[in-house]
Amino acid sequence: MSGRRIGFWYRLAAVLVKPPLVVLFKRDWRGMEHIPVDGGFITAINHNSHLDPFSYAHFQYNTGRMPRFLIKAGVFKGGFVGAFLRGTSQIPVYRESTDAANAFRAAVDAVNRGECVAFYPEGTLTRDPGLWPMRGKTGAARVALLTKAPVIPVAQWGANQALPPYAKRPRFFPRKTLTVHAGPPVDLSAYYGKEPTAEVLRAATDDIMAAVAELLSEVRGERAPTERYDYRAGKSRAAGEPPAAEEESK
């Protein structure tokens, strides 16, 4: 079963968003052959700029497979943005409430219907000093192990050079290159059939994040740290390892 048809709202977004992306940025897209032609699947994407969802969405739109993002429920309220999110059937996430499990169920249902569900496993913009992927949350792994759907790692770089994390003003010039690189599916077969304990989910999540970090290493031409930054636990990467400069090229 193939993914849902593009539909009015996605086409409208493409009309509004694609022209400025094409004008303001160069593109370096790789790995579209790894995006399944049909059937449900999951993408796991690194997050280093408020602009990079547009970069990834542009890439994914051009594959013909429309992504469904998990987005904070408050953004769905009223206005054009809310109408767009509802019209494209994005998945609301109700954090710290009794409805929190609904996003997980909706993601599983979407994958089982043959759609693409896009996860930012870090859950927020990276806080790693070198802008590497942080320790991931287990949502993508939970959905993957329940559905046995392919998990496609996606690495992005370049949007952060136009709008660094938590910066207030973009720097569009000189013109930056938005790189999006999709890799082959992460092999999670070793976890199939196992009880989804915290240890199993953590191991599967670490495999997913390692695949994303490896792709980003290729894009940046640098070696990724072996230890993931974990801001929730106050941990930094391996001691003594200097952070990469924010404005380094890929």
Side-chain angles (χ1 to χ4, degrees):
M1 178 179 177
S2 61
R4 68 171 59 237
R5 299 179 67 178
I6 292 177
F8 167 78
W9 284 102
Y10 258 122
R11 291 189 187 279
L12 177 60
V15 168
L16 296 176
V17 176
K18 286 178 69 174
L21 288 175
V22 171
V23 170
L24 293 172
F25 299 99
K26 295 176 282 187
R27 291 177 296 172
D28 180 5
W29 290 352
R30 316 177 206 174
M32 281 188 173
E33 68 275 11
H34 297 303
I35 302 298
V37 175
D38 46 38
F41 66 102
I42 296 159
T43 53
I45 315 142
N46 68 307
H47 193 19
N48 56 32
S49 172
H50 286 302
L51 285 177
D52 66 40
F54 297 99
S55 178
Y56 162 73
H58 190 188
F59 170 90
Q60 189 67 43
Y61 180 91
N62 277 34
T63 70
R65 302 299 308 273
M66 303 301 102
R68 292 185 65 185
F69 292 90
L70 283 80
I71 300 172
K72 289 186 292 186
V75 185
F76 286 74
K77 296 178 181 178
F80 174 80
V81 172
F84 167 77
L85 296 178
R86 294 189 298 272
T88 54
S89 299
Q90 306 305 313
I91 300 172
V93 177
Y94 301 87
R95 293 180 177 175
E96 299 179 358
S97 81
T98 55
D99 293 326
N102 288 344
F104 172 75
R105 288 193 291 268
V108 170
D109 290 345
V111 171
N112 284 336
R113 286 196 303 271
E115 299 186 48
C116 166
V117 175
F119 279 88
Y120 285 95
E122 298 162 275
T124 186
L125 285 168
T126 184
R127 298 182 188 180
D128 180 277
L131 303 186
W132 293 100
M134 298 188 296
R135 191 170 190 256
K137 296 184 178 181
T138 61
R142 287 176 182 272
V143 175
L145 297 187
L146 188 60
T147 62
K148 295 183 174 60
V151 178
I152 308 299
V154 179
Q156 301 194 92
W157 191 250
N160 55 290
Q161 295 173 336
L163 185 65
Y166 306 106
K168 295 182 179 179
R169 294 183 179 179
R171 299 190 297 268
F172 293 122
F173 302 101
R175 201 163 169 239
K176 311 298 190 294
T177 298
L178 299 181
T179 297
V180 183
H181 186 179
V186 182
D187 184 4
L188 300 178
S189 59
Y191 307 109
Y192 292 165
K194 291 186 176 181
E195 184 71 20
T197 62
E199 291 76 15
V200 167
L201 292 171
R202 171 49 46 199
T205 299
D206 288 346
D207 286 355
I208 292 169
M209 297 310 297
V212 175
E214 183 178 354
L215 283 174
L216 189 58
S217 293
E218 296 173 4
V219 168
R220 294 175 57 171
E222 306 172 56
R223 187 169 64 180
T226 56
E227 182 180 343
R228 303 278 166 258
Y229 186 93
D230 187 351
Y231 75 92
R232 289 161 293 180
K235 297 178 181 178
S236 62
R237 1 181 251 264
E241 186 175 312
E246 192 171 85
E247 292 299 323
E248 281 182 326
S249 61
K250 59 187 178 65

